[in-house]
Amino acid sequence: MKIEHAYTIVTSPGRNFVTLKIVTDQGTYGIGDATLNGREMAVVAYLDEHVIPALIGRDPQRIEDIWHYLYRGAYWRRGPVTMSAIAAVDMALWDIKSKLAGMPLYQLLGGKSRDRIMVYGHATGRDIEACLEEVARHVGEGYKAVRVQAGVPGIASIYGVAKKDGEPYEPADADLPAEHVWSTSKYLNHVPKLFAAVRERFGEDLHVLHDVHHRLTPIEAARLGKEVEPYHLFWLEDCVPAENQEAFGLIRQHTTTPLAVGEVFNSIYDAKALIENQWIDYIRATLTHAGGITHVRRIADLAGLYHVRTGFHGPTDLSPVCLGAAIHFDTWVPNFGIQEYMPHTTATDQVFPHDYRFEDGHFIVGETPGHGVDIDEQLAKQYPYKRASLPVNRLEDGTLWHW
């Protein structure tokens, strides 16, 4: 069996998605997610110009060999563009291998470690009361875990909070990066009040999460973690940028609030010190951005040695292809923690038919051979690409926030 041809598909049924399709000379095909939000076309060029020509004629069943061939053959290793391209190939090859075996992907990985996958949803509001209403809506829909984000008085627009109450949050909302104003002091003074209100209304049984979006220094994050300890968060996410992994050591010294990080990670090396020193509790590296199933398995295995669990990033700028593969991975991985879930648009679900399903706050994995997600290429053509960028933050004095 050989790879006969491969090609990229770019579509935007709500968000921009890049899909790689690999077809063998026997007609079996697999698809992988190569979406890199805000830099989608860079990955398309990388795949079209460099990766796909190197795949033609290769045996698609040699997943491990092809992974290392692409990783080492580039010389310029790692980085989001390279690793997203490799991940798409890897995901598609696992899809092919599972189809050839006649098994759903989780069986090929080692079988079920659990019967259902707990997910968390996103509740946002322009103020605390509006946010509580969104939490109530999620609880009513069966969610057992909810990420809670609310507007802060004195800050006009906050990354992570929907611009209108009751609407889905959309971060990539401008052609070029928008500039938001940020105040750390106002945020730190306000957030504990949010979680006090959540616990007062919903009690202790609901799992509550919060994303800081990399906006604090280590000592500021330590303060926040300590002040929210009475509210028993499931995790505090991305409280500081992780380029300096040792920063989490400082935070860990001051708080018992569980810490999560990793959605922007590209490889095991981004997480090595964090895991080995037990500075975090959840690793959030995604299959699409961290080299695919082959590489994320290694991250998860290392994490398992140090009591660190998975908590995969799962926003709507990762396609149902990534989500479907992640649900299979979640079903298998021994040290599973939780799975992020932002529902895709109806149009997205139509372009990417899939067999996973949401039920009572959990995902149930499908039994279709492969990862259970396909793409309707004719329908995808109806949704052309449109550039969309994520925002940046400036302090109130105009300084571009650079931590």
Side-chain angles (χ1 to χ4, degrees), residues 57-365:
R58 295 188 177 275
D59 181 352
Q61 299 183 85
R62 297 183 63 174
I63 298 175
E64 191 75 34
D65 182 72
I66 289 174
W67 194 97
H68 287 279
Y69 172 77
L70 295 175
Y71 181 79
R72 300 178 190 284
Y75 185 78
W76 309 107
R77 298 178 188 175
R78 298 154 60 186
V81 174
T82 294
M83 297 304 279
S84 296
I86 293 175
V89 174
D90 189 75
M91 211 177 296
L93 295 183
W94 277 101
D95 193 23
I96 289 171
K97 185 177 281 286
S98 301
K99 289 174 178 176
L100 293 175
M103 295 179 178
L105 174 58
Y106 75 81
Q107 292 285 22
L108 215 59
L109 293 173
K112 288 185 176 181
S113 293
R114 58 199 53 80
D115 296 320
R116 56 184 188 164
I117 308 303
M118 185 171 72
V119 306
Y120 70 89
H122 288 204
T124 81
R126 298 291 293 166
D127 55 32
I128 289 176
E129 187 55 39
C131 185
L132 294 179
E133 290 304 309
E134 277 296 294
V135 175
R137 182 177 68 81
H138 280 78
V139 171
E141 293 176 357
Y143 285 87
K144 307 300 185 287
V146 181
R147 195 187 85 169
V148 180
Q149 313 285 140
V152 176
I155 303 179
S157 182
I158 294 182
Y159 184 82
V161 177
K163 290 181 171 55
K164 292 184 179 180
D165 292 334
E167 292 187 355
Y169 167 59
E170 172 52 67
D173 60 356
D175 179 49
L176 297 176
E179 298 187 9
H180 294 175
V181 176
W182 174 252
S183 169
T184 299
S185 60
K186 292 174 182 175
Y187 169 79
L188 287 174
N189 290 334
H190 188 68
V191 168
K193 301 173 187 176
L194 169 64
F195 291 104
V198 170
R199 285 301 180 211
E200 181 179 2
R201 180 162 173 179
F202 298 98
E204 291 291 337
D205 290 340
L206 180 66
H207 297 301
V208 180
L209 304 84
H210 183 68
D211 191 346
V212 184
H213 291 114
H214 310 283
R215 291 177 294 204
L216 301 178
T217 65
I219 202 64
E220 290 166 349
R223 169 189 160 184
L224 178 60
K226 191 170 185 178
E227 291 187 353
V228 299
E229 281 179 8
Y231 312 116
H232 307 137
L233 270 62
F234 187 94
W235 76 34
L236 190 64
E237 177 187 343
D238 289 350
C239 47
V240 297
E243 286 92 339
N244 175 17
Q245 296 186 39
E246 288 79 5
F248 280 81
L250 175 62
I251 301 166
R252 184 66 106 190
Q253 292 175 25
H254 294 280
T255 180
T256 58
T257 297
L259 303 174
V261 73
E263 68 184 54
V264 300
F265 288 179
N266 309 133
S267 79
I268 196 169
Y269 304 106
D270 296 321
K272 184 174 181 292
L274 291 167
I275 292 170
E276 292 178 340
N277 290 289
Q278 299 180 75
W279 289 335
I280 60 172
D281 302 277
Y282 296 90
I283 181 66
R284 293 188 25 77
T286 72
L287 298 182
T288 294
H289 299 148
I293 294 162
T294 296
H295 193 63
V296 174
R297 280 213 304 184
R298 293 195 167 90
I299 298 175
D301 285 343
L302 176 64
L305 298 177
Y306 296 95
H307 312 287
V308 175
R309 296 176 179 177
T310 63
F312 285 167
H313 187 48
T316 48
D317 55 24
L318 294 172
S319 86
V321 180
C322 179
L323 181 58
I327 292 168
H328 281 268
F329 195 103
D330 295 336
T331 299
W332 157 75
V333 69
N335 50 318
F336 170 76
I338 199 167
Q339 170 68 53
E340 182 178 12
Y341 176 43
M342 291 177 67
H344 288 104
T345 65
T346 299
T348 299
D349 287 334
Q350 291 171 343
V351 171
F352 296 96
H354 53 267
D355 67 353
Y356 59 79
R357 70 183 191 275
F358 175 78
E359 182 180 290
D360 193 30
H362 296 77
F363 273 130
I364 309 299
V365 74

